Amino acid sequence: FILELRVRWYSKAMVKQARTILGRFFIHLRTKRIRDLRRVGEAEVFAYARHLAEAKSKATGERYSLATQRTHLYLLQRLFRFLARTGVILQDPTLNLVIPSWKRLPRAVMNQAHARRLVASPDPSTPRGKRDRAILELLYGTAIRVGECERLDLGHVDLGKGLVMVRSGKGKKDRIVPILGRAAMAVDLYLREARPLFLKDPREQALFLNRRGVRVAVNRIQDLVRSNAKAAGLDIRVTPHTLRHGCATHLLQGGADVRHVQQLLGHASVGTTAVYTHVVPGELARVVARAHPREKLW
């Protein structure tokens, strides 16, 4: 099943997530003294769905969100469909499983003032501060994903042309995104004044390096985003995806065409990009006052 995910070009993160999630399911089965997937019936699947709904995350101590439950059950369903298709089991026990819907109103979005405070948080006088500033400016300025940022090499960035080549994005797709203004300046400063101090091996091609001279990992990027958000005194939860979300939202609020934003984000469908088109109530009120015929007369 894992091999099939790889053949279908699912990302490494998705394959890793599948291993983890299905491993938890197998542990749950062992507690019920089931060690053969051919013995899993509809009752066991429904019992596991109830278990997910009632279980709490070890990290947060809170119940799993509907989105998390959906991911677990989706992968479980994919596994049993694979087993039925390959003849390992005679009947798919997940046929009647209803996967919960998680669609809801979006969370609070990082506003432009938040973004300015966040990217200005790193200390510009230190190599680490210059690197962190470059990462934050790049995430916010180009809306690339955190995994895409981690995988960037020196050859993927052309500051002269103002372009970044994003390799093996979601769905194993490549795309080119522009890098302009402050983001380009921050990356240029990092390359000239900070990266040479981190570099240990001249053959290292990773764009962003840690103090050991190797590629900065995803979890380290997540940590530096959180720590700088805390240092900036932001009162919202900030992750690398918050910067991606903020970039898309601020572009749309500034008048960018949704299809251009779709291309920047690397979405296959404009419907996915539409998630970012929500606006704050104050802005919506100004639009109504400006555009509604009754309000224009008033």
Side-chain angles (χ1 to χ4, degrees), residues 102-103 142-145 148 166 169-177 241 244-249 251-252 257-277:
W102 59 275
K103 297 296 183 185
T142 64
I144 61 175
R145 299 177 178 91
E148 295 168 345
V166 178
K170 204 166 186 179
K172 296 290 183 179
K173 295 177 182 177
D174 298 342
R175 71 183 189 281
I176 295 176
V177 299
H241 192 77
R244 173 176 165 87
H245 197 169
C247 173
T249 303
L251 285 173
L252 291 166
D257 185 275
V258 67
R259 294 201 176 273
H260 292 157
V261 177
Q262 174 193 358
Q263 186 174 358
L264 179 70
L265 297 176
H267 287 160
S269 167
V270 73
T272 307
T273 313
V275 173
Y276 299 87
T277 60

Side-chain angles (χ1 to χ4, degrees), residues 103-146:
K103 297 296 183 185
R104 60 185 183 276
L105 289 174
R107 297 177 181 176
V109 181
M110 179 178 68
N111 60 39
Q112 295 180 37
H114 286 151
R116 287 193 296 269
R117 285 162 54 189
L118 175 59
V119 298
S121 175
D123 184 354
S125 65
T126 66
R128 177 179 170 180
K130 291 171 185 174
R131 182 203 63 191
D132 291 1
R133 175 71 179 265
I135 290 174
L136 293 172
E137 289 277 16
L138 186 66
L139 290 172
Y140 179 59
T142 64
I144 61 175
R145 299 177 178 91
V146 62

Side-chain angles (χ1 to χ4, degrees), residues 189 239-240 259 274 286:
L189 182 66
T239 67
R259 294 201 176 273
R286 289 192 293 272

